[in-house]
Amino acid sequence: MLQRTIKLAGEWSRMLLGIAALMVLAGCASTLSARVTTFQQWPADSQGAHYRIVPPSGDTLEVQAFSDMIRAAIGRTGLVEAQGEQKPRFDVHFEYGATVSQEWVQRFHDPYFDNFGPWGWGGYYGGFRGWGGGIYYTPAVVNVPVQVSKNTLTVIIRDNQRQGAQVYKSTAVSTAGSLVEVMPYLAQAVFDGFPGNNGQVRNITYELQ
């Protein structure tokens, strides 16, 4: 009887973990979330003003591609890119990067890979606090290290009519995919709801295309 109970608990454990994994994969496959922090003192007389993109040092193909992504997303601001000899009012700077860090998460023991039995089998107790003898089960939780990737894009806009003062700074962070994969969404996120509230922190979710 005891062995049958342990076997059933193990089967339920595997089934629930499988369902949870499928739900996570389904969610990851359809949406992408970014955490956006924005600071701004956006001038009211900026509609239709010209801007230019000032990329980071090193005119690489990667930088050119990311510049195009920012150029595609900046249209919602009402700014117009300066052409030729036009003198822009705003300089649009950007920085980006990807880091990997180790974090700790909790999970249940796998009943087939630890020494405690399914669901952290606690063993036998008897005559305890008025209860009769029997078998008790407790979820065995362990802390495990996981690698977390963080993709970051920061856009800073400076106003040349104010001696280059910062008038907009927005940072978008996502832990999904690679930097190249998520950059178009990060570019959208930094201008989402532009110019927004000063000191605003938001979580934004996009449907993946």
Side-chain angles (χ1 to χ4, degrees):
M1 181 65 180
L2 173 59
Q3 291 180 345
R4 179 176 175 79
T5 303
I6 292 175
K7 182 179 179 181
L8 289 174
E11 291 175 352
W12 275 101
S13 172
R14 288 197 299 173
M15 184 179 72
L16 291 173
L17 289 173
I19 293 173
L22 288 174
M23 292 175 66
V24 170
L25 289 175
C28 291
S30 60
T31 62
L32 179 145
S33 296
R35 188 169 181 83
V36 182
T37 304
T38 302
F39 298 93
Q40 62 91 7
Q41 290 184 348
W42 193 248
D45 60 344
S46 61
Q47 186 67 28
H50 291 90
Y51 75 91
R52 67 175 175 182
I53 293 179
V54 183
S57 58
D59 189 19
T60 65
L61 293 175
E62 179 183 75
V63 169
Q64 293 175 19
F66 292 166
S67 296
D68 288 339
M69 295 176 190
I70 293 172
R71 184 176 289 109
I74 203 172
R76 68 187 64 185
T77 65
L79 301 179
V80 179
E81 186 171 16
Q83 303 295 327
E85 299 298 321
Q86 288 180 319
K87 185 176 181 180
R89 174 175 176 178
F90 298 104
D91 286 343
V92 180
H93 303 259
F94 69 93
E95 304 168 352
Y96 62 89
T99 60
V100 178
S101 61
Q102 180 174 286
E103 297 183 5
W104 293 86
V105 299
Q106 290 186 333
R107 69 163 177 84
F108 288 108
H109 272 300
D110 190 303
Y112 292 94
F113 292 95
D114 60 71
N115 296 322
F116 297 100
W119 299 100
W121 178 49
Y124 175 87
Y125 68 90
F128 181 65
R129 292 185 181 177
W131 293 88
I135 303 298
Y136 67 95
Y137 297 88
T138 57
V141 178
V142 294
N143 291 320
V144 295
V146 295
Q147 298 295 319
V148 177
S149 299
K150 292 185 179 180
N151 304 301
T152 304
L153 171 66
T154 298
V155 171
I156 298 173
I157 301 179
R158 297 182 178 275
D159 189 348
N160 293 320
Q161 291 186 6
R162 299 184 181 181
Q163 292 74 50
Q166 283 190 19
V167 290
Y168 187 77
K169 179 179 181 180
S170 186
T171 299
V173 180
S174 176
T175 57
S178 68
L179 180 62
V180 174
E181 292 172 328
V182 303
M183 181 59 75
Y185 299 96
L186 296 180
Q188 292 181 55
V190 294
F191 295 113
D192 192 284
F194 181 90
N197 298 321
N198 189 39
Q200 186 177 40
V201 180
R202 297 180 297 154
N203 290 315
I204 301 174
T205 300
Y206 294 105
E207 294 289 334
L208 294 182
Q209 302 299 317

